[in-house]
Amino acid sequence: MILGPSEHQSGLTPTDFDRLVRQSSLPTLVSFENPWSKALIPGLDELATAFRGRLRLVRVNMATHPDLAARLKIRVVPTLLFFNRGALVEFMVGPVPIQFIVQMVANTHLQRRHLLQGTHRS
């Protein structure tokens, strides 16, 4: 299966999720949502297009994937999970300004490296 920058997932199994997200070479933003909550975080598809080749956006309808939501302890929509190299690095619940998401996507890898090395940036 060839994935575009934004994928709406149907029939997503835990194995599919692990392959698409946890085993991905691309940083992946997972949006747990339902039809009405998509309007609370406008611009996600545009973000995925702007970061084409450097970010994957996976949209998961919580109503059709309650087992996956329960496995990840998702209870509220919208919830955004940001994975980098298979590890969960950010967990955001509720409406999040797109500017914050852009900054997080652009900077998360560098910030995590500095925290892991024990150095801090001012």
Side-chain angles (χ1 to χ4, degrees), residues 26-38:
L26 289 177
T28 304
L29 184 63
V30 180
S31 176
F32 278 86
E33 55 196 37
N34 59 31
W36 64 263
S37 71
K38 287 175 70 171

Side-chain angles (χ1 to χ4, degrees), residues 25-121:
S25 61
L26 289 177
T28 304
L29 184 63
V30 180
S31 176
F32 278 86
E33 55 196 37
N34 59 31
W36 64 263
S37 71
K38 287 175 70 171
L40 296 175
I41 307 178
L44 284 183
D45 289 317
E46 291 83 1
L47 174 75
T49 300
F51 282 91
R52 182 182 297 268
R54 296 176 288 159
L55 173 73
R56 174 179 292 140
L57 171 63
V58 176
R59 293 180 174 274
V60 179
N61 185 326
M62 194 152 144
T64 58
H65 299 294
D67 293 340
L68 181 58
R71 174 181 164 206
L72 295 170
K73 298 180 179 18
I74 308 295
R75 295 192 174 122
V76 176
V77 291
T79 294
L80 297 174
L81 306 175
F82 184 66
F83 291 84
N84 193 8
R85 297 183 181 165
L88 178 63
V89 294
E90 293 289 342
F91 187 99
M92 298 161 277
V93 177
V96 178
I98 196 69
Q99 298 88 345
F100 176 81
I101 299 168
V102 169
Q103 182 179 10
M104 186 260 321
V105 168
N107 296 322
T108 293
H109 180 66
L110 291 174
Q111 291 172 351
R112 295 294 177 215
R113 182 181 301 157
H114 288 288
L115 291 174
L116 291 173
Q117 291 174 350
T119 61
H120 301 279
R121 287 190 167 184

